[in-house]
Amino acid sequence: MRTAVTRGELADLAERYAAALHARGIGAGGTVGVAVRPGPRALAVLLAVHRLGARGAVLDPGAGPDVLRARLALARPEVVLADATAQAVAGWARPLARRAHLALPDLAELGPVATVGPRLPGCAPALDAGVRSGVLPRPVEGDGDAAIVFTSGTASRPRAVVHTRASLAAGMRTVAELVRPAADRPVLGGTFFVLVPSLASGAPVALPARSPRALARQLRRLAPQATYLTPPQLRRALAEGAAFTGRVWTGSAPASADLLTRVRRAGADEAWGVYALTELFPAAAVEQAEKAAYGGPGDLVGAPLPGVRARTDDAGQLLLAGPGARDRYLGEAPEEWVATGDRGRTGGGRLVLEGRVKDMVLRGAENIYPGLYEPSLHVAGVELALLVGVPAGDGDERLVAVVQPVAGADAGQVRAALAGPLARMGTARPDAVVLADIPLGGRSRKPDRAAAARMAAERLRG
């Protein structure tokens, strides 16, 4: 189903929501929980919250009820805005939603709830129910907290990034300068950082279709000037024979040179990998030609974008700073430098990642960082590749390469293509190679190392 919304309609919706929130006493310094599916209503809610100088705490229905309770207790929103789907997940549709791996606590238990969009039986009252249009205060100027985005953490100790109005504005300026969207030509992408700069430039924006087949048709119909998809979305679209146009951008998970090359071969003028974190978006970018030409160890993610500074700490962890960096973690003091959790190098004006600090595998007396070697395993016929540690039963670990072939690839040919890269790994050569689909997890569907390690252990035992 397609829903078309004009800029005028979006602006009117944002004004309506701002008036309703203002009538509830929400203003500068307030906090609004947001459990609304991506789309025009979610964008209008965020614009309304921003206009009033409040901050939006983004809630993820897939996080589980215990985690959500802890997150809400930390953020303490004055009201939670939820669409009918989120409330259904928390109420009468809970058994159905559980099958889709969605779960919410009963939102009404956690504080005032208002419905955004069409209501279903059992939903809270509409956000703007009984609110008469009145005089809104002038849009808030200056800096202040703008968004709370939950990242890692547990039910007992949730963790959230706090972005200010200034850091969000800096991030969106960087995106606008990087993508350079032209007016009146479609852009395909669904993130806040894609939507706002594109709409501000006069470009119409389409949210990506969920089905890979529908996404391939959408790309053919729109012929977008710029497309932003995650690596899993790209891989699934390519498997459906998708053709690309203009410049294609991907991030949220590692993008190999092979994946970017396949996108170029499918018609894209340029294919870019974007290195970004919740704490700093975007940080660096690299085009396919430069990445494909890189032959050194590690994963080249490109030059730091304007204003981004990079250095490493004593453990080799990459640290970043810049105007688009988060102000702090919720409940903690502000910090200038963002600890990325990635080992990296910063020579020659480019960033090269060497793997996650926590992903180190200890085999014998040797520390092996998977990120140094995984890019070399993305040879022809390989979709994804991970190096994981599997308990050897004697307190040591076995290093296993888990390799996911491209659909339809011949397993013998894939193993033959891997022989050269494996031989060049020296003392880091894996003890075993397992060909299998790599599990994905999280909102961005990144490779799940823990699940891959468990699967590899089961395969090897078998």
Side-chain angles (χ1 to χ4, degrees):
M1 183 178 70
R2 299 180 199 169
T3 302
V5 178
T6 67
R7 285 178 178 76
E9 290 168 338
L10 184 62
D12 289 343
L13 192 59
E15 286 288 295
R16 242 176 58 205
Y17 290 162
L21 289 170
H22 178 62
R24 288 172 172 264
I26 304 296
T31 303
V32 177
V34 182
V36 183
R37 287 170 298 171
R41 291 190 187 94
L43 180 56
V45 164
L46 294 174
L47 292 174
V49 170
H50 192 269
R51 187 197 192 287
L52 296 173
R55 60 185 186 180
V58 182
L59 306 176
D60 176 16
D66 294 338
V67 171
L68 280 168
R69 285 191 183 94
R71 289 177 173 180
L72 286 165
L74 180 63
R76 301 178 65 184
E78 290 146 83
V79 63
V80 173
L81 305 185
D83 56 21
T85 299
Q87 294 177 72
V89 166
W92 60 269
R94 185 173 291 165
L96 296 175
R98 197 175 294 118
R99 298 178 195 171
H101 306 291
L102 297 174
L104 280 173
D106 185 348
L107 296 177
E109 295 177 358
L110 306 172
V113 180
T115 300
V116 172
R119 294 179 64 248
L120 292 175
C123 282
L127 170 62
D128 51 359
V131 176
R132 297 179 180 178
S133 58
V135 178
L136 273 170
R138 292 176 61 84
V140 171
E141 304 290 344
D143 204 4
D145 289 355
I148 299 172
V149 185
F150 290 93
T151 55
S152 57
T154 63
S156 59
R157 294 190 64 186
R159 204 174 197 207
V161 168
V162 179
H163 273 285
T164 64
R165 298 163 67 88
S167 68
L168 287 184
M172 286 186 283
R173 278 195 302 272
T174 301
V175 171
E177 292 165 2
L178 186 64
V179 179
R180 303 190 305 276
D184 302 324
R185 295 181 56 200
V187 171
L188 182 67
T191 70
F192 184 75
F193 279 95
V194 172
L195 288 168
V196 174
S198 299
L199 290 170
S201 72
V205 181
L207 301 182
R210 294 185 181 182
S211 157
R213 185 170 298 177
L215 178 57
R217 290 197 301 267
Q218 187 182 32
L219 286 162
R220 185 169 54 251
R221 184 180 71 252
L222 294 176
Q225 61 168 314
T227 299
Y228 188 95
L229 298 171
T230 64
Q233 286 175 313
L234 283 180
R235 288 192 289 268
R236 291 193 294 265
L238 287 166
E240 291 292 339
F244 292 93
T245 54
R247 305 163 86 199
V248 177
W249 308 83
T250 189
S252 301
S256 66
D258 178 70
L259 177 61
L260 298 180
T261 300
R262 289 166 60 197
V263 171
R264 285 289 304 273
R265 288 173 181 166
D269 296 334
E270 298 175 4
W272 289 80
V274 179
Y275 177 51
L277 304 91
T278 306
E279 291 87 346
L280 200 166
F281 185 102
V286 62
E287 208 277 321
Q288 175 269 339
E290 183 182 3
K291 186 151 187 167
Y294 176 74
D299 182 19
L300 173 67
V301 294
L305 292 170
V308 175
R309 292 171 286 132
R311 65 179 179 87
T312 56
D313 63 14
D314 294 340
Q317 178 181 208
L318 182 64
L319 306 177
L320 299 174
R326 57 92 185 98
D327 179 65
R328 66 192 187 282
Y329 292 100
L330 190 59
E332 300 180 19
E335 293 178 303
E336 179 184 9
W337 292 90
V338 173
T340 65
D342 292 317
R343 283 176 51 87
R345 305 193 306 275
T346 60
R350 302 192 299 181
L351 301 182
V352 177
L353 303 186
E354 299 177 340
R356 298 288 291 171
V357 172
K358 67 179 181 180
D359 292 334
M360 183 191 77
V361 177
L362 180 61
R363 182 175 61 178
E366 184 181 9
N367 296 339
I368 300 172
Y369 291 93
L372 272 173
Y373 307 100
E374 286 170 347
S376 67
L377 301 180
H378 286 87
V379 296
V382 171
E383 189 82 85
L384 287 172
L386 295 181
L387 291 171
V388 298
V390 172
D394 56 0
D396 202 356
E397 287 185 290
R398 299 177 69 190
L399 183 66
V400 181
V402 183
V403 177
Q404 177 177 321
V406 173
D410 179 79
Q413 292 179 355
V414 169
R415 288 187 180 274
L418 287 168
L422 291 173
R424 292 191 294 272
M425 290 174 64
T427 57
R429 180 169 182 151
D431 301 296
V433 177
V434 172
L435 299 187
D437 287 347
I438 290 176
L440 305 177
R443 285 178 298 177
S444 56
R445 307 303 293 158
K446 295 181 182 179
D448 188 330
R449 289 184 180 274
R454 292 193 296 269
M455 178 188 66
E458 293 170 3
R459 292 288 186 96
L460 294 176
R461 281 198 299 269

